[in-house]
Amino acid sequence: MPKIEPYRAVTHNKGIMNGIDAVVLATGNDFRAVEAGAHAYASRDGKYRSLSDATIENGIFTFWLEIPLALGTVGGLTSLHPLVKLNLEILEKPSAPELMQIVAAVGLAQNFAALRSLTTKGIQEGHMKMHINNILNQYHATAEERIKVTEYFKDNTISHASVAGFLEEIRK
């Protein structure tokens, strides 16, 4: 779908870049340049498309990512910033080409995790569970109230107003 629908591709690529940006920042590289290059590459044929692709051939699932990366491991912040130095040590001091592979693998892993979530319980369910907990914390819900709210919202739409309203009702 992200190869056909550009709006899906935007969300899809944002997820990929969430993983990539984290490693790029942690290693003292310019995430803005990486982002710009990735999005330019995603629209290289005149239509914005996903950076990752997948096929199933002869029962074998293949998943890959194509992304331009220009990263360094020497100079700049890599030798100045103590956390960048530590992060590169944790990565076992990769060469620039090795770092590019690591970064691409993290982006692919991030994308695979999102796809797995979408094809199982779904991101929306996890997000709504987190949202409901935030609301319950805001209203200092008791353990008993949490059970009632959780049970009620298994089959009802979650919004801040609906959770607050339901809490108000059970507190009467």
Side-chain angles (χ1 to χ4, degrees):
M1 182 76 154
K3 288 290 179 187
I4 300 166
E5 172 55 51
Y7 298 109
R8 288 263 183 228
V10 168
T11 301
H12 192 78
N13 290 345
K14 179 189 176 295
I16 291 169
M17 296 310 296
N18 283 343
I20 287 174
D21 288 348
V23 181
V24 170
L25 279 167
T27 58
N29 283 276
D30 185 353
F31 81 96
R32 296 162 303 176
V34 171
E35 283 271 352
H39 295 299
Y41 187 76
S43 58
R44 67 193 175 280
D45 66 358
K47 185 174 183 179
Y48 193 85
R49 299 188 188 278
S50 171
L51 295 165
S52 67
D53 212 336
T55 62
I56 299 175
E57 293 179 16
N58 301 321
I60 299 172
F61 176 72
T62 306
F63 190 50
W64 70 96
L65 174 69
E66 291 183 31
I67 184 169
L69 293 169
L71 303 174
T73 57
V74 177
L77 285 178
T78 61
S79 58
L80 297 175
H81 197 285
L83 288 177
V84 169
K85 286 171 74 172
L86 176 63
N87 292 334
L88 288 168
E89 286 176 26
I90 290 169
L91 291 172
E92 299 179 358
K93 299 181 181 177
S95 65
E98 289 169 333
L99 179 59
M100 291 177 220
Q101 290 174 348
I102 291 166
V103 167
V106 169
L108 188 62
Q110 181 82 12
N111 187 225
F112 188 74
L115 291 175
R116 182 179 183 275
S117 182
L118 287 169
T119 59
T120 56
K121 287 188 174 186
I123 291 171
Q124 188 68 14
E125 182 178 320
H127 180 75
M128 287 297 106
K129 184 178 178 186
M130 179 184 70
H131 186 55
I132 209 168
N133 282 330
N134 288 340
I135 297 166
L136 292 171
N137 289 339
Q138 179 184 354
Y139 287 95
H140 307 287
T142 65
E144 183 179 317
E145 289 171 336
R146 286 174 183 276
I147 291 167
K148 288 179 182 177
V149 168
T150 302
E151 186 61 35
Y152 178 80
F153 283 100
K154 281 183 182 176
D155 299 318
N156 292 289
T157 302
I158 299 170
S159 70
H160 190 279
S162 63
V163 174
F166 184 73
L167 261 176
E168 189 177 310
E169 284 296 314
I170 63 174
R171 286 178 172 176
K172 287 183 180 179

